[in-house]
Amino acid sequence: MRFVDILEKKRDGHELTGEEIEFFIEGYTNGTIPDYQASALLMAIYFQGMTAEEQGHLVMAMVNSGDTIDLSQIEGIKVDKHSTGGVGDTTTLILVPLVAACGVPVAKMSGRGLGHTGGTLDKLEAIEGFQIELSEQAFIDQVNTLKAAVIGQSGNLTPADKKIYALRDVTATVDSIPLIASSIMSKKIAAGADAIVLDVKVGEGAFMKTVEQAEQLAHAMVNIGEAVGRQTMAVISNMSEPLGEAIGNALEIEEAIATLKGEGPEDLTELCYVLGSKMIVAAKKASSFEEARHMLKTVIEDGSALQLFKEMIEAQGGDGSIIDNPKRLPQATYTYEVFAPQDGYIEKIIANDIGVAAMLLGAGRATKEDEIDMAVGLRLHKKIGDVVKKGESLVTIYSNTEEITTTREKIERAIQISATKVEKQPLIFETIGEA
Ligand code: URA
Ligand code: CA
């Protein structure tokens, strides 16, 4: 097989075979296909797209480029959840114990923050002693006994994706729906998921800026899942404003605890109900979303979801007493308020800029090497559409320095107030995949 023939075929809009796609992935991963030829193929895919069959072949070739996690020792259907990323997204922390308390095994591999704010692993490390490194056997044993464990990615998963993603980053080919869909799905499948629930974010603070783009991405991922025999469902949710109220690592642990007690922010709670119901149906623990939602409500009300969070924290070496006393989490030295400059209605809370403001305090990393300050962050007191009075607090800043001028300015610019009434934004635009 000559790679130049594959390039020509894709360039002219023809469908590649499974063998041709495997030839590309194997050759690029082991270095026999150079960057310049791989770049040409990525650009041809960018313009010509890929059929569902091609995307299925691409995903499985990427999965087979490295290690895969074997979760077959865990009883039951293993459901994974993936968010395409946003600001203040605390859902994973909540969903793991919540869905596990309904009897669904959740073997979660999570990442660190790539954007402005911390990832799930960073947040968990706000809990003193919490170990994110378990051996594969300890991970599996914990899921069998407790139904829940969260660890860092181990092993050499999807090296082809790592290499291709780095190349896409410098060849203007990140923004391709088949390439994004294959990249995300390959990682989920390599991590051992039998079923996958996707939260595709749309809006200012997300990768996908329009609902139409988000729908295309969601359908592409659901089709890949079906093509490779993994039940896949998706939700398209709003990320034009941050989710929930808390942004910052310890603050989001506290928010997760509140939500597991039934006292969380409305939007975050509702999204957890919607995603959690899908996870339960995908795991075949309920036959309808209504039944699943009722199960979720029950484990929040009877305290078993919160209890499971505590047990999971303690099983992984963490200080479980934070559940009853969240003030034992790292606390910032200073708090400051950002006051509304006028009466009106909240028109915009630009999620990306709020994320940057939290990062400037130390809640996220500007570069890979940065250390995260677990205690700092923001708490938002308003949502888009809320009425606001001049002088009311919009945001509380939790800081470990007194120098917060740039953070404050960033927040003031990110929140816009209108004199005329503003409609509340929908939380969920669409759900894909039926019960
Ligand atoms: N996230 C991924 O994992 N891959 C992409 O291609 C884009 C976003
Ligand atoms: Ca949040």
Side-chain angles (χ1 to χ4, degrees):
M1 217 178 282
R2 293 193 325 152
F3 195 65
V4 68
D5 298 327
I6 295 176
L7 286 175
E8 193 177 310
K9 195 169 167 189
K10 191 76 219 170
R11 180 200 67 193
D12 295 341
H14 303 296
E15 186 175 22
L16 301 181
T17 64
E19 290 76 46
E20 286 164 339
I21 289 169
E22 276 161 30
F23 181 78
F24 163 55
I25 293 299
E26 276 171 32
Y28 188 55
T29 311
N30 70 27
T32 54
I33 293 171
D35 282 346
Y36 54 83
Q37 282 190 309
S39 305
L41 183 64
L42 293 172
M43 190 58 84
I45 291 171
Y46 179 92
F47 283 112
Q48 297 291 359
M50 288 184 117
T51 64
E53 286 70 31
E54 286 178 307
Q55 291 177 54
H57 291 307
L58 180 58
V59 164
M60 290 320 291
M62 292 207 287
V63 168
N64 293 329
S65 72
D67 300 340
T68 55
I69 309 288
D70 179 4
L71 299 179
S72 59
Q73 286 180 59
I74 299 173
E75 302 147 33
I77 299 172
K78 276 73 70 183
V79 185
D80 203 351
K81 171 254 171 191
H82 180 83
S83 157
T84 61
V87 178
D89 187 351
T90 320
T91 51
T92 298
L93 279 175
I94 299 162
L95 284 168
V96 171
L98 181 58
V99 171
C102 296
V104 176
V106 190
K108 184 76 191 154
M109 286 198 161
S110 273
R112 298 200 176 275
L114 295 173
H116 312 310
T117 54
T120 299
L121 289 185
D122 299 311
K123 293 170 197 176
L124 284 167
E125 283 182 340
I127 301 170
E128 201 188 323
F130 195 96
Q131 292 299 320
I132 56 139
E133 279 173 41
L134 297 181
S135 70
E136 196 166 321
Q137 195 57 49
F139 177 57
I140 287 169
D141 290 346
Q142 186 177 320
V143 179
N144 272 332
T145 52
L146 267 186
K147 294 286 179 214
V150 182
I151 59 167
Q153 205 188 73
S154 65
N156 178 34
L157 297 192
T158 60
D161 176 63
K162 286 196 188 77
K163 217 173 156 189
I164 291 171
Y165 196 82
L167 187 62
R168 284 166 58 204
D169 209 22
V170 293
T171 55
T173 51
V174 169
D175 241 2
S176 151
I177 284 174
L179 293 177
I180 297 172
S182 320
S183 165
I184 292 173
M185 291 298 284
S186 69
K187 284 175 281 209
K188 297 287 112 183
I189 292 165
D194 300 316
I196 300 156
V197 174
L198 300 157
D199 181 12
V200 179
K201 304 284 193 190
V202 61
E204 207 110 42
F207 238 115
M208 299 288 119
K209 305 295 177 196
T210 68
V211 175
E212 195 189 359
Q213 282 177 332
E215 276 171 355
Q216 284 176 16
L217 178 60
H219 282 289
M221 290 193 285
V222 169
N223 290 341
I224 290 172
E226 301 302 321
V228 300
R230 307 303 203 279
Q231 189 179 9
T232 306
M233 302 187 211
V235 169
I236 296 174
S237 74
N238 197 339
M239 195 29 86
S240 59
E241 62 185 325
L243 186 66
E245 294 165 2
I247 297 142
N249 299 279
L251 292 168
E252 289 188 50
I253 296 280
E254 204 178 326
E255 185 171 58
I257 293 169
T259 306
L260 288 167
K261 279 185 182 164
E263 298 164 3
E266 207 181 305
D267 59 344
L268 179 59
T269 302
E270 176 59 20
L271 187 58
C272 288
Y273 272 121
V274 172
L275 293 170
S277 303
K278 295 214 175 255
M279 291 171 76
I280 290 173
V281 168
K284 306 214 183 319
K285 292 281 177 187
S287 52
S288 72
F289 294 134
E290 293 70 37
E291 184 190 348
R293 182 183 269 264
H294 184 74
M295 290 165 75
L296 294 168
K297 200 159 177 281
T298 303
V299 297
I300 287 180
E301 284 171 2
D302 70 11
S304 53
L306 188 64
Q307 177 62 24
L308 202 147
F309 192 31
K310 186 178 191 173
E311 286 167 12
M312 185 188 91
I313 290 168
E314 288 174 347
Q316 295 190 232
D319 173 11
S321 73
I322 57 136
I323 296 290
D324 304 305
N325 188 3
K327 294 297 166 223
R328 288 177 58 92
L329 288 162
Q331 302 289 310
T333 311
Y334 307 102
T335 59
Y336 302 94
E337 305 299 323
V338 179
F339 297 110
Q342 65 187 82
D343 288 354
Y345 298 84
I346 304 288
E347 183 173 24
K348 275 192 177 173
I349 306 180
I350 301 173
N352 234 352
D353 293 350
I354 295 289
V356 172
M359 183 201 71
L360 291 172
L361 292 167
R365 297 181 185 83
T367 70
K368 250 193 339 222
E369 289 72 33
D370 284 354
E371 287 265 342
I372 286 187
D373 184 339
M374 294 297 169
V376 303
L378 306 172
R379 195 182 295 279
L380 310 180
H381 306 305
K382 296 286 173 187
K383 290 269 141 183
I384 293 175
D386 282 353
V387 176
V388 61
K389 291 262 171 268
K390 182 178 174 177
E392 217 183 333
S393 176
L394 298 172
V395 177
T396 303
I397 299 172
Y398 296 80
S399 173
N400 274 331
T401 71
E402 290 176 83
E403 179 43 57
I404 55 148
T405 314
T406 41
T407 303
R408 182 183 283 283
E409 283 171 3
K410 197 99 206 151
I411 295 168
E412 284 168 353
R413 276 199 302 270
I415 302 183
Q416 291 162 23
I417 297 174
S418 155
T420 53
K421 191 165 166 45
V422 175
E423 290 305 317
K424 291 241 169 224
Q425 301 239 330
L427 174 66
I428 290 164
F429 292 102
E430 201 184 329
T431 71
I432 297 158
E434 295 310 313

